[in-house]
Amino acid sequence: MNAFFASVEQAANPALRGKPIVVCGQGRTVVTTASYEARKLGVKTAMNLYEARRACPEVILVYGDTNKYVAASHQIHKILLEYTDLVEVFSIDECFVDVSRLCKKEGDAKRIALEIKTKIKEKLGLLCSVGIGPNKVVAKIACKMQKPDGLVEITEENISKVFENLDLDKLQGVGVGSKISQKLNSLGIKTAGDLGRAPLELLMHHFGIIGRYLKNVGLGEDNSPVKKYFEYEQAKSIGHSRTLDINTWDIAVIKAYIMMLSEKVGARLRASKMEGSTVNFFVRYGDFTHFSVQHNLKTPIKNSCDIYSQALKLFGNCLPLKKAVRMLGVSISGLCKESTQGHLFAEFGKKDKAERVFDGINKEYGPFTIKPGSVMIAEKFGIDEGCGMVAKSRRKFPQAE
Amino acid sequence: MEQTEINEIIDVGAVFTKKHIKPKWFIWQKRKYPVKETTYTWDEDVGSARIIHFSVTDGSTLFEISLNKKTLAWTLEKTATD
């Protein structure tokens, strides 16, 4: 999708159409998405709001509404699922669709792509770019070649011709980031064609195991299949992070945030019937330096209070604080299916029972309806329930309204 | 663009078709606002309740109204003006 969040806001509000807008969060935040009108005037994603206003004083700030974007994303999935169930959701605004079987029956991919673009425009008022290729990597590269409202096809036969003069920055969406590009440039590799011709040994020597992947990208080769929409991938970790509204030295506030993050992580773990044995803690300071640490446990955990106490122990490594805290993150990895074995002593089962009750209430009435008192300290600083993407496990088929 | 949170229960006149819900007017603070256009619709789950949101305009102001499908209550969520 093109400038997805901003386009949804412009579709929802006619007064914003054709104007430079940015979608951002409330409080201290950065530009999440800039409309094409704002981009033309120099506003870029991830600029802070001061920089955005300096680049374009007339820019209109719109506070993002994740629910709106998730709903739009579901509607797009619904359109794609009319064609095939081989729809792999890559992000909130990107999908891979395998139409190879459909092409055998109903003609060429370009016609199908045009039909999809028209439906999305008619139903949602949104523009998208479509890239057609023999595999996911080539399709993604094709998609990036023409924005907004693009439609580019790279066939198996013309890959080498297209890649010959294709700048490395066009490969950013397929794992060739700016640092890798710089290093490749220093090796004399300037285009995708150069990358395809580069000796594998040279790439492996400089980039390790991803050298082989880079070579394949340069050749336009990718054997990974498009996954089915309803084929859920098991999450590798579950985590939440939060930038505080103001930098703080206040340990009570920091602990409250850690509690809030632990609650969110715990609730998601239990909802997906998982538990994890590695606790990760992340802190970013006011000067943008950061510290992260993880700890492996002998027994996996899922209770919010257990996650909190482990995260708190890890936070102990940061004490005494030398700098004000800007951002905190808690995540659990080493995930496995939750154990259904009961506790030998009834006392130990009390926490599980209590959290099941809390989860039941929060499921019925909404997140954080019932919560630990200390979370209220964090609430004073503002909790954004919609922060982050919707986990694959929470994805569901869109309902017709 | 100025957004104002309202969050007040309102009366709404709406047409329910087989596939869609179309708000036609609503009353807020004793004034009746015609819905000239529904510019966007989306939904969310809050607990077990499904909330359907509508961006609607009376021709000059954009309003966000919502229907709680569990309680059937309509809410004026916010307004946006230039």
Side-chain angles (χ1 to χ4, degrees):
Chain A
M1 301 305 297
N2 301 140
F4 183 50
F5 297 172
S7 301
V8 170
E9 293 298 344
Q10 287 177 318
N13 187 350
L16 298 176
R17 292 174 198 164
K19 292 185 181 165
I21 72 160
V22 295
V23 175
C24 57
Q26 295 197 32
R28 196 167 54 165
T29 181
V30 294
V31 172
T32 312
T33 314
S35 67
Y36 278 92
E37 295 84 359
R39 289 178 196 197
K40 273 183 199 159
L41 298 167
V43 181
K44 289 177 185 163
T45 300
M47 270 183 171
N48 66 42
L49 297 185
Y50 171 75
E51 290 171 322
R53 281 204 191 98
R54 200 174 50 184
C56 173
E58 66 271 34
V59 73
I60 300 166
L61 307 185
V62 179
Y63 298 133
D65 181 344
T66 317
N67 290 314
K68 210 185 278 180
Y69 315 138
V70 170
S73 184
H74 281 164
Q75 292 303 314
I76 294 161
H77 299 168
K78 201 177 161 190
I79 291 169
L80 300 176
L81 288 166
E82 288 172 14
Y83 294 87
T84 173
D85 62 342
L86 288 170
V87 175
E88 182 181 330
V89 179
F90 191 63
S91 70
I92 193 166
D93 67 341
E94 286 175 295
C95 289
F96 292 110
V97 185
D98 185 343
V99 291
S100 51
R101 268 184 283 171
L102 209 61
C103 287
K104 284 174 193 158
K105 288 186 210 160
E106 295 183 32
D108 67 326
K110 219 165 191 171
R111 188 193 58 76
I112 296 167
L114 268 173
E115 209 175 286
I116 290 170
K117 278 166 70 76
T118 308
K119 280 186 185 175
I120 291 173
K121 195 173 177 185
E122 278 175 9
K123 288 191 178 173
L124 295 143
L126 302 175
L127 297 178
C128 64
S129 291
V130 180
I132 304 169
N135 56 52
K136 291 197 284 188
V137 161
V138 176
K140 183 110 171 66
I141 291 167
C143 188
K144 280 204 95 173
M145 288 170 71
Q146 199 180 72
K147 283 190 171 187
D149 203 19
L151 174 56
V152 175
E153 183 173 13
I154 303 177
T155 59
E156 199 116 41
E157 293 72 38
N158 69 2
I159 288 177
S160 52
K161 194 178 164 194
V162 174
F163 277 27
E164 188 55 45
N165 296 313
L166 192 69
D167 284 341
L168 291 179
D169 63 355
K170 298 278 184 205
L171 306 181
Q172 276 205 354
V174 291
V176 186
S178 53
K179 282 191 178 168
I180 293 180
S181 288
Q182 275 174 17
K183 203 166 170 185
L184 287 169
N185 271 313
S186 69
L187 296 170
I189 298 167
K190 311 275 184 201
T191 66
D194 294 342
L195 186 58
R197 281 189 297 273
L200 180 61
E201 299 72 32
L202 175 84
L203 296 173
M204 298 277 279
H205 175 73
H206 287 280
F207 299 96
I209 49 166
I210 69 155
R212 186 177 295 278
Y213 172 77
L214 292 173
K215 171 91 180 167
N216 287 343
V217 169
L219 293 169
E221 288 175 2
D222 175 23
N223 294 321
S224 63
V226 174
K227 290 172 193 145
K228 285 188 177 177
Y229 186 76
F230 295 101
E231 206 171 83
Y232 296 137
E233 226 180 292
Q234 190 177 310
K236 291 187 177 115
S237 70
I238 288 178
H240 278 279
S241 61
R242 175 80 187 170
T243 300
L244 282 58
D245 280 4
I246 47 167
N247 297 350
T248 187
W249 294 81
D250 190 334
I251 302 294
V253 169
I254 292 167
K255 282 184 176 176
Y257 267 96
I258 296 172
M259 169 65 93
M260 179 197 82
L261 295 168
S262 304
E263 279 289 330
K264 290 176 100 167
V265 172
R268 277 179 60 197
L269 268 176
R270 294 187 297 277
S272 50
K273 299 197 183 306
M274 307 286 278
E275 52 191 13
S277 54
T278 305
V279 183
N280 309 277
F281 179 76
F282 174 87
V283 56
R284 177 170 287 145
Y285 297 105
D287 62 357
F288 285 87
T289 57
H290 69 269
F291 169 79
S292 66
V293 61
Q294 66 176 47
H295 178 61
N296 295 318
L297 303 164
K298 283 181 185 160
T299 325
I301 55 172
K302 64 181 174 201
N303 288 327
S304 306
C305 50
D306 292 338
I307 298 168
Y308 174 65
S309 64
Q310 290 299 330
L312 213 53
K313 272 188 203 165
L314 298 177
F315 172 59
N317 292 303
C318 307
L319 297 175
L321 282 177
K322 293 190 180 88
K323 302 165 192 172
V325 170
R326 178 186 170 87
M327 182 185 182
L328 293 159
V330 174
S331 69
I332 296 283
S333 52
L335 300 183
C336 57
K337 281 274 163 210
E338 71 177 356
S339 160
T340 49
Q341 195 175 351
H343 293 280
L344 188 58
F345 301 105
E347 195 64 26
F348 294 136
K350 278 184 179 173
K351 264 194 292 188
D352 289 359
K353 266 189 194 167
E355 291 212 322
R356 268 201 298 275
V357 174
F358 296 162
D359 289 343
I361 293 169
N362 289 337
K363 193 178 171 194
E364 183 65 23
Y365 298 103
F368 285 100
T369 301
I370 188 161
K371 62 207 159 198
S374 56
V375 167
M376 291 165 88
I377 299 173
E379 278 181 330
K380 278 189 194 166
F381 282 68
I383 288 177
D384 177 9
E385 268 317 301
C387 64
M389 296 290 182
V390 169
K392 284 185 179 176
S393 56
R394 277 173 60 198
R395 195 186 305 146
K396 58 190 163 200
F397 194 82
Q399 292 191 4
E401 289 299 344
Chain B
M1 179 65 45
E2 194 174 312
Q3 286 192 3
T4 313
E5 299 276 343
I6 307 291
N7 200 23
E8 282 179 30
I9 299 287
I10 50 167
D11 290 329
V12 176
V15 174
F16 288 70
T17 65
K18 275 183 186 169
K19 281 189 173 178
H20 302 286
I21 301 167
K22 293 175 184 166
K24 295 291 178 187
W25 51 260
F26 63 91
I27 296 170
W28 177 47
Q29 293 181 343
K30 296 181 183 168
R31 189 180 149 192
K32 190 172 179 178
Y33 294 83
V35 172
K36 292 203 172 154
E37 189 191 354
T38 299
T39 56
Y40 222 72
T41 308
W42 70 101
D43 47 31
E44 65 167 324
D45 290 329
V46 176
S48 60
R50 176 154 281 244
I51 315 289
I52 310 168
H53 296 261
F54 303 87
S55 274
V56 299
T57 173
D58 64 346
S60 57
T61 306
L62 189 81
F63 300 90
E64 186 186 319
I65 61 175
S66 69
L67 170 65
N68 182 321
K69 282 182 87 175
K70 197 173 175 187
T71 61
L72 299 180
W74 287 87
T75 304
L76 174 59
E77 305 270 355
K78 55 180 106 159
T79 64
T81 44
D82 284 329

